[in-house]
Amino acid sequence: MKITKHKKTRKYMSFYINNFGFREPLLCLIDGSFCHAAYKIRLQIEEQLKKYFQCEVKPIVTACIITETDNLGAGFVGTSQLLKRFLVHRCGHEKHPIDGSSCIKAITQTCRYIVATQDRALQQWVRSKPAIPLFYLHNNSVPTLVQPSEANRNAANEGQRSRVQVRSLDQQTLTSLKQKEGLAVPEAKVMRKKKKPKNPNPLSCKKPKKKKEAAATKSNSSPQQPAKSDGGVVKKKSRKRVKLPKHVVDHLKAAVGGP
């Protein structure tokens, strides 16, 4: 079986488990038509049910189903023998047996069963009733669990609404009892802290541009402003050193009286 089929089966059964109280081991109610189709293709019913649902599944029948199959004649002897291997559920019709479809309709009103049938009329009835999963052999060969019908979904939604109403009513009753006994504690007001302005992220800020204040202060403090070139760049004036002749230097030294 493909993995997608296993996923669908788990999904469908989870729906019935969560909304209608199905529990393991699952009980699969098998009628004569399903058992006869499985007998013709040599399908091991109990083994295939466990493999398909991937959990513990018990196939069950009723005395009415066995009696109905026995009365069908020699062509259903093997089917009748196969039905008698399964667990027989007490349906209440043992003294006065009825047909298998009517028996299934009666006992599924109070108990949680998966109905396995090839009877088209019974399949249509099961689809119209909530809380009854339908199982059959597609093309008389492929085990298939039918997707929950609209009746099942509507019943599940109503059940959820009723549970919510009961919970709210219980909560109101509990609150009133606490107030009556003086156990109710007033809810404290939650003081929310005011959000302070956060500093900007330093990584997202641009680097500040360098200011040329130092150069401006130096130029203002000097009495003479240096000349500017054509490009506007400030240049310092260079002083020229005058070299005196040697005899002039000797004369000056002699006049001063130095060596």
Side-chain angles (χ1 to χ4, degrees):
M1 188 184 300
K2 295 181 180 180
I3 297 176
T4 53
K5 213 165 205 179
H6 283 300
K7 288 183 178 179
K8 286 183 178 180
T9 303
R10 287 195 296 269
K11 179 181 177 181
Y12 296 162
M13 282 312 304
S14 297
F15 172 83
Y16 290 103
I17 290 171
N18 295 331
N19 294 289
F20 300 110
F22 278 77
R23 295 291 180 269
E24 295 184 20
L26 302 175
L27 301 178
C28 186
L29 184 58
I30 298 172
D31 73 343
S33 62
F34 182 88
C35 188
H36 185 66
Y39 177 76
K40 288 195 296 184
I41 62 174
R42 300 294 187 267
L43 180 71
Q44 300 295 326
I45 295 178
E46 188 170 3
E47 181 181 346
Q48 287 298 321
L49 286 175
K50 292 179 180 179
K51 186 177 179 181
Y52 185 87
F53 290 97
Q54 294 185 337
C55 65
E56 188 67 24
V57 184
K58 290 184 178 181
I60 61 174
V61 295
T62 63
C64 296
I65 295 173
I66 295 175
T67 303
E68 181 185 42
T69 308
D70 287 337
N71 296 333
L72 291 176
F76 290 83
V77 174
T79 304
S80 179
Q81 292 178 353
L82 182 59
L83 284 172
K84 292 175 183 178
R85 297 179 184 178
F86 303 135
L87 179 65
V88 179
H89 176 73
R90 292 183 180 180
C91 59
H93 311 130
E94 285 78 14
K95 293 183 179 180
H96 304 284
I98 58 178
D99 62 281
S101 298
S102 300
C103 181
I104 291 173
K105 292 177 182 179
I107 65 175
T108 51
Q109 300 297 325
T110 55
C111 301
R112 301 302 185 200
Y113 297 121
I114 300 171
V115 176
T117 180
Q118 299 296 108
D119 187 353
R120 294 296 180 85
L122 184 57
Q123 288 179 2
Q124 191 66 26
W125 181 86
V126 171
R127 286 192 179 96
S128 64
K129 299 296 179 182
I132 308 177
L134 176 61
F135 187 71
Y136 75 109
L137 296 177
H138 183 64
N139 293 331
N140 292 325
S141 60
V142 182
T144 304
L145 179 67
V146 178
Q147 183 179 359
S149 62
E150 186 176 355
N152 285 287
R153 292 193 293 271
N154 293 336
N157 292 333
E158 290 178 2
Q160 290 177 359
R161 291 194 198 99
S162 62
R163 283 194 291 270
V164 170
Q165 291 175 357
V166 170
R167 289 174 184 172
S168 61
L169 181 61
D170 292 342
Q171 188 66 29
Q172 293 175 2
T173 306
L174 182 62
T175 305
S176 61
L177 289 174
K178 284 183 177 180
Q179 292 176 353
K180 185 177 180 180
E181 297 296 331
L183 300 175
V185 179
E187 296 181 357
K189 294 183 178 180
V190 179
M191 299 296 292
R192 294 184 178 179
K193 294 182 178 179
K194 293 183 179 180
K195 292 184 178 180
K196 296 181 179 180
K198 296 182 179 180
N199 295 327
N201 188 356
L203 299 177
S204 63
C205 298
K206 293 183 178 179
K207 293 183 179 181
K209 296 181 179 179
K210 295 181 179 180
K211 296 181 180 180
K212 300 180 179 180
E213 295 180 355
T217 53
K218 287 182 180 180
S219 62
N220 293 332
S221 60
S222 61
Q224 295 181 354
Q225 294 183 357
K228 295 184 180 179
S229 63
D230 296 337
V233 180
V234 178
K235 293 184 178 180
K236 292 183 180 181
K237 291 184 178 181
S238 58
R239 294 182 181 180
K240 294 182 178 181
R241 296 183 64 182
V242 180
K243 189 175 181 181
L244 299 175
K246 185 177 180 182
H247 68 277
V248 176
V249 175
D250 294 339
H251 178 74
L252 290 173
K253 285 181 179 181
V256 174

